[in-house]
Amino acid sequence: MRKTLFFFALVALMSIGKTFADEGMWLPMFVDRLNYTDMQKMGLQLTPEEIYSINNSSLKDAIVGLSGGPTPTGFFCTGEIVSEKGLLFTNHHCGYDNIQKLSSVDHDYLADGFWAKSFDEELPTYGEMTASFLIKMENVTDSIFANVTDNMDDKTRSAEIRKVTTRLKETYNEDGKYNVVVKSFFEGNEYYLFIYEVYTDVRLVGTPPSSIGKFGGDTDNWMWPRHTGDFSIFRVYSAPDGSPADYSENNIPLQPKYHLPISLDGVQKDDFTMIWGFPGTTTRYMTSFEVETSIEELYPTVVDVFGKQLEIWKEFMDTNTKVKIQYASKYAGVANTWKNYIGRIRSLNRLHTINKKQETEAQFDTWLNANADRKAEYGDVLETFETYNAGMKDFLSTFYYVQLTGLGAEITGLGMDFGELAQIMAPINKKELPKDKKEAEAMKEQRSTEANQLIETFRAELNEFYKDYDATTDQKVFAEMMKMYIKHTPENLQSAYVTKSLKNYKNDYEAFAAHVFNTSLLSSKDKIEAFLNKPDYKKISNDPVVIIANEVMAGVMSMAGQYREINAPMAKAKRLYMKGLREMNPDKVYYPDANSTMRMTYGSVQDYQPADAIHYEFVTTTKGILEKEDPNNSEFIVPARLKELIEKEDYGPYSENGEMIVCFLSTNDITGGNSGSPIINGKGELLGLAFDGNWDAMSSDIVFEPELQRTINVDIRYVLFIIDKFAGATNLIDELTIRQSEPKPIRTETTL
Ligand code: ARG
């Protein structure tokens, strides 16, 4: 709701006062002990057993980790089960990659949307999207540390931990029935084990067109006010007996243990909300030293390189529909990180995060110096961080440039894979070859089997690669990446092939790139298929791209050695710093950093004030969609059907006092991986789907800013409106468990 009204200075007064900002991503098994009383006070009505139970079905059974394989150790997004037939809601940007892969110029589901009218029409993703259900989690710290001692060196320690981890996985997986994952918490001070059941047959059921699911595009990404219908719909299938099974016609829709009911009541300011999902990574206990390294070395480098790639991709996407579809998902992913890092630099600077971290470090220093035992245990910690920061100065940026540019074109990535093949195909060195004839034959045989296996793997993967590959686009990227590579790589680490060729081409990067693309086998599917049908060692080992990839990697490896050296003492320092902080503040309940395990975060619906004299409402409405409409800007096109519905105010049962709410804000503490997570009210009903963080707190992975940090959610009523009124997919609406309390509450408007 971008009403000019909200820019009046008076509004500023209103958001001063109580904020319910809830920092923390909590582990489900401890919710009862650590958070429950607090949550109840804020409005939670469920019992602890209804939330997390390992014996009975509970809310946690409706929360799904999404990944792209059968044995994931982490998840790119979260989904939730919303029907008795395994229907799953997640974000549009979470389904995006699969929707893109299922699209072509003839049936472009990104542009037009897709709605299956029956089970038959649902589109298999063949293991590209898999759904993990958490069976239970356990604290295994004692087992992990049984033979670990304080004075063990890092290597021995890691080896011991790996050994126990492997044993635990074997003990708990029940002959492969479950995927067992062990994760480190609090920087290696605690360990937990997670048992998942992984379903690999997940099918696309419905998606709005990008003009709804990605409305506002990259301009609005990470921003409020937002008007994006960021949802897509999938269904989990199982074998006829309910167990996980790879795609088969015989599979049936999953009968889940639990599915979330949906509320049509909507939200009011201060309403209790909780979000369940799989946040990926945070580093909330990071020191000022590491923040400085990130701001100065890491983020600007990534921004620079990604910015260049995006610029070139966009140039080609804008003029070629095929390229536009081919590069849509890659572009969205890179653009998302690129903008995020720009935001991080800005927020970390504006919010003086380094100073705030320094204050904590000063307290830590005073605390440890007050006692000889502490001094002995923690005395070196801060110095280690300082040394790390100094070591990374002017080094980390170069290290990233070399990798990101040297291997930045898609073709060089492929070059690395084929380099591996070349290595296996290489004639065996005489010295290596056993004297015994039989043994020598066996060794050759073994190599050739390995090569053939790799060739078959490549064959299978290459179809997918070339479907979304445009050599003309990549050639330009390659030229630009090489330019940056030469600029940033120390001379002694530069690829000799690149420097020599550039000399031949008188530093004409375009001509050099044209030569590489003309002569390499990897620049077209036909050439590489012909090679795979008749593999030849000489051909592949002399391929310019394979040579370049190899030589770039040699430089990277040499720098990686130095990186490891600088980084080596950090694991221990981080572990001790974390341990020390908890000891220093014994009354404070610490939550562990996100690590792609199931978490719960609770808070409330809130507006906020991003800067002096600006106030942001906590909801947006469809009015804003028409305000933002711009037929000349692909990011802000409003589909005709949607426009008609909005103009007629034809909202069905989904509006509130005549208005259609699109998105709303809450104070919940989330990060990447939480995308698609359900935001749930005190009664355990679905209110919407979390899908973004906000520009004013892009520092959020490193520090929680209660006054500024908000989660952006798409209101479930807008989701249902799109499914029902826009798409006419009433078959899906009929599957849901929809609740509405009477009488309908009136949203508290902030009145002046
Ligand atoms: N910022 C969102 C996230 O990281 C992704 C939003 C995708 N939308 C977009 N316009 N690229 O989860």
Side-chain angles (χ1 to χ4, degrees):
M1 242 207 280
R2 223 166 30 172
K3 284 185 190 157
T4 33
L5 174 72
F6 296 115
F7 292 87
F8 288 169
L10 257 180
V11 187
L13 294 172
M14 295 177 328
S15 58
I16 301 172
K18 206 149 83 168
T19 50
F20 300 91
D22 277 76
E23 176 174 3
M25 303 173 179
W26 305 95
L27 280 169
M29 74 183 274
F30 297 132
V31 166
D32 186 12
R33 202 177 80 206
L34 300 180
N35 318 105
Y36 188 70
T37 317
D38 198 25
M39 290 167 79
Q40 236 184 344
K41 267 188 227 145
M42 288 175 67
L44 175 65
Q45 295 172 34
L46 302 179
T47 65
E49 187 73 4
E50 286 171 320
I51 298 182
Y52 179 83
S53 164
I54 52 176
N55 301 314
N56 301 308
S57 68
S58 58
L59 192 150
K60 80 123 173 53
D61 296 316
I63 315 300
V64 175
L66 300 177
S67 60
T71 52
T73 53
F75 307 101
F76 63 77
C77 274
T78 303
E80 52 278 354
I81 300 293
V82 290
S83 90
E84 279 171 353
K85 295 180 194 133
L87 201 67
L88 180 151
F89 282 175
T90 186
N91 288 150
H92 182 259
H93 79 261
C94 294
Y96 200 74
D97 196 48
N98 278 287
I99 301 166
Q100 186 268 328
K101 283 186 176 137
L102 290 165
S103 294
S104 66
V105 177
D106 302 333
H107 46 93
D108 185 352
Y109 305 134
L110 290 177
D112 307 328
F114 169 79
W115 304 95
K117 293 285 187 283
S118 65
F119 291 149
D120 298 349
E121 290 178 14
E122 298 177 355
L123 301 173
T125 58
Y126 302 108
E128 295 278 332
M129 170 149 349
T130 58
S132 293
F133 290 80
L134 178 66
I135 305 297
K136 64 171 177 177
M137 57 175 291
E138 258 178 52
N139 185 343
V140 292
T141 312
D142 289 345
S143 312
I144 291 279
F145 287 153
N147 294 314
V148 170
T149 57
D150 278 350
N151 42 19
M152 248 179 192
D153 67 77
D154 263 17
K155 242 190 169 159
T156 324
R157 184 187 170 96
S158 307
E160 174 61 28
I161 292 173
R162 262 201 309 278
K163 199 175 80 194
V164 182
T165 301
T166 309
R167 201 188 65 218
L168 286 170
K169 285 186 185 176
E170 278 160 15
T171 316
Y172 282 87
N173 78 17
E174 299 199 8
D175 295 324
K177 183 174 170 205
Y178 296 125
N179 180 34
V180 179
V181 179
V182 176
K183 293 255 176 171
S184 143
F185 285 73
F186 294 112
E187 303 290 356
N189 284 293
E190 292 176 20
Y191 285 81
Y192 291 80
L193 171 144
F194 298 81
I195 303 178
Y196 298 103
E197 197 160 29
V198 187
Y199 285 83
T200 54
D201 184 2
V202 178
R203 305 183 194 175
L204 178 64
V205 174
T207 174
S210 296
S211 51
I212 290 173
K214 205 185 171 187
F215 181 74
D218 292 316
T219 304
D220 274 9
N221 190 17
W222 300 112
M223 298 281 188
W224 183 260
R226 196 65 158 275
H227 299 84
T228 311
D230 198 344
F231 75 96
S232 60
I233 308 174
F234 289 80
R235 191 187 302 281
V236 183
Y237 279 75
S238 72
D241 67 357
S243 63
D246 287 346
Y247 171 79
S248 152
E249 274 182 24
N250 299 329
N251 285 354
I252 57 166
L254 174 78
Q255 281 185 11
K257 286 190 200 142
Y258 188 74
H259 72 272
L260 292 179
I262 291 171
S263 170
L264 289 188
D265 293 346
V267 294
Q268 309 199 35
K269 187 167 146 69
D270 298 336
D271 273 357
F272 170 81
T273 53
M274 59 181 171
I275 291 179
W276 287 72
F278 292 87
T281 310
T282 55
T283 50
R284 293 276 169 80
Y285 308 104
M286 197 185 228
T287 58
S288 64
F289 304 100
E290 300 157 272
V291 177
E292 192 180 308
T293 305
S294 303
I295 295 179
E296 282 174 12
E297 299 282 324
L298 175 61
Y299 301 152
T301 310
V302 175
V303 168
D304 188 24
V305 180
F306 282 14
K308 195 48 152 186
Q309 288 171 344
L310 290 170
E311 185 189 307
I312 300 164
W313 281 348
K314 185 162 181 349
E315 180 190 322
F316 286 86
M317 288 167 80
D318 281 350
T319 51
N320 184 327
T321 314
K322 188 166 173 215
V323 176
K324 187 175 172 178
I325 299 170
Q326 287 178 313
Y327 282 73
S329 181
K330 294 180 238 194
Y331 187 94
V334 173
N336 192 45
T337 305
W338 172 77
K339 192 168 178 184
N340 178 294
Y341 280 17
I342 293 173
R344 280 185 192 215
I345 299 171
R346 176 181 176 271
S347 288
L348 290 166
N349 282 324
R350 282 168 67 105
L351 298 166
H352 309 292
T353 305
I354 291 184
N355 295 352
K356 288 178 199 161
K357 297 270 175 188
Q358 279 169 344
E359 278 168 31
T360 312
E361 286 148 26
Q363 281 168 18
F364 182 74
D365 201 41
T366 312
W367 171 81
L368 75 90
N369 278 307
N371 171 315
D373 287 345
R374 289 181 204 156
K375 215 168 163 170
E377 186 167 13
Y378 303 110
D380 297 337
V381 170
L382 291 175
E383 209 181 299
T384 305
F385 289 121
E386 200 175 341
T387 311
Y388 161 88
N389 188 20
M392 288 297 176
K393 213 169 190 58
D394 301 326
F395 169 79
L396 195 67
S397 169
T398 307
F399 185 38
Y400 269 87
Y401 267 117
V402 176
Q403 303 173 59
L404 294 177
T405 58
L407 304 167
E410 292 168 84
I411 203 168
T412 30
L414 206 56
M416 274 176 66
D417 294 340
F418 278 87
E420 196 187 326
L421 178 64
Q423 230 173 38
I424 299 178
M425 287 175 69
I428 301 172
N429 197 313
K430 279 234 172 69
K431 272 190 221 144
E432 239 186 288
L433 212 57
K435 291 241 160 52
D436 182 272
K437 251 197 172 161
K438 254 196 187 156
E439 276 177 42
E441 274 316 302
M443 187 166 181
K444 282 186 192 163
E445 186 75 30
Q446 159 83 8
R447 285 282 174 95
S448 123
T449 314
E450 274 174 36
N452 284 336
Q453 276 169 352
L454 204 55
I455 286 172
E456 285 320 307
T457 317
F458 285 172
R459 227 193 270 279
E461 284 170 2
L462 285 175
N463 271 334
E464 211 177 291
F465 178 86
Y466 286 103
K467 173 185 175 289
D468 293 333
Y469 183 71
D470 181 68
T472 315
T473 306
D474 199 37
Q475 184 174 321
K476 178 95 186 268
V477 173
F478 178 79
E480 289 298 326
M481 288 296 113
M482 284 296 119
K483 214 179 274 174
M484 291 175 107
Y485 170 78
I486 292 297
K487 182 171 166 202
H488 292 280
T489 308
E491 258 174 51
N492 61 331
L493 297 179
Q494 289 177 359
S495 153
Y497 181 92
V498 174
T499 48
K500 203 180 81 202
S501 309
L502 280 170
K503 227 180 239 153
N504 290 344
Y505 286 97
K506 304 206 167 50
N507 280 334
D508 181 342
Y509 282 82
E510 308 256 326
F512 164 53
H515 163 74
V516 169
F517 275 69
N518 284 336
T519 46
S520 174
L521 295 171
L522 306 182
S523 58
S524 94
K525 193 177 165 196
D526 291 345
K527 282 195 279 181
I528 203 67
E529 262 174 0
F531 164 80
L532 290 177
N533 290 334
K534 225 173 142 229
D536 175 86
Y537 168 67
K538 274 229 171 83
K539 262 194 187 157
I540 196 66
S541 58
N542 287 326
D543 191 280
V545 176
V546 172
I547 296 174
I548 294 169
N550 261 336
E551 293 181 356
V552 168
M553 264 320 277
V556 172
M557 293 313 280
S558 135
M559 291 194 86
Q562 201 179 336
Y563 175 83
R564 272 196 298 274
E565 212 169 285
I566 303 170
N567 204 42
M570 286 293 277
K572 185 170 182 190
K574 285 184 187 176
R575 189 169 72 240
L576 284 176
Y577 185 56
M578 185 74 244
K579 181 164 176 263
L581 283 180
R582 290 170 91 183
E583 234 170 273
M584 179 170 95
N585 299 312
D587 296 331
K588 180 169 168 184
V589 186
Y590 279 82
Y591 60 91
D593 264 317
N595 60 357
S596 233
T597 56
M598 191 189 279
R599 302 296 177 90
M600 185 277 311
T601 157
Y602 61 103
S604 61
V605 175
Q606 292 299 337
D607 50 3
Y608 76 107
Q609 190 181 340
D612 187 34
I614 306 177
H615 172 245
Y616 280 151
E617 251 291 22
F618 61 93
V619 291
T620 57
T621 73
T622 43
K623 271 185 240 149
I625 295 179
L626 299 188
E627 283 173 9
K628 284 181 177 175
E629 183 186 20
D630 179 355
N632 300 317
N633 180 344
S634 63
E635 294 183 320
F636 293 96
I637 287 169
V638 180
R641 168 84 186 137
L642 179 61
K643 195 167 173 180
E644 185 189 321
L645 289 167
I646 298 173
E647 278 169 349
K648 286 194 189 143
E649 299 185 7
D650 185 0
Y651 299 133
Y654 309 112
S655 65
E656 181 180 317
N657 307 320
E659 279 189 315
M660 183 76 238
I661 312 292
V662 181
C663 295
F664 67 93
L665 293 176
S666 66
T667 61
N668 302 273
D669 187 2
I670 68 161
T671 186
N674 266 120
S675 284
S677 289
I679 179 161
I680 300 169
N681 67 15
K683 292 187 264 184
E685 299 158 340
L686 188 63
L687 293 170
L689 274 56
F691 73 93
D692 214 354
N694 60 332
W695 192 243
D696 307 291
M698 294 296 279
S699 45
S700 64
D701 279 356
I702 293 175
V703 62
F704 187 88
E705 295 284 351
E707 303 293 336
L708 288 177
Q709 192 161 323
R710 297 291 179 265
T711 288
I712 304 177
N713 309 281
V714 55
D715 194 302
I716 202 66
R717 294 168 301 173
Y718 184 65
V719 172
L720 300 189
F721 159 72
I722 295 296
I723 299 174
D724 186 347
K725 304 293 292 186
F726 175 81
T730 46
N731 55 318
L732 301 177
I733 299 287
D734 293 342
E735 264 187 78
L736 308 170
T737 305
I738 297 177
R739 293 188 192 157
Q740 179 158 24
S741 40
E742 298 285 346
K744 217 169 160 188
I746 294 172
R747 181 163 51 86
T748 28
E749 288 285 357
T750 34
T751 40
L752 295 179

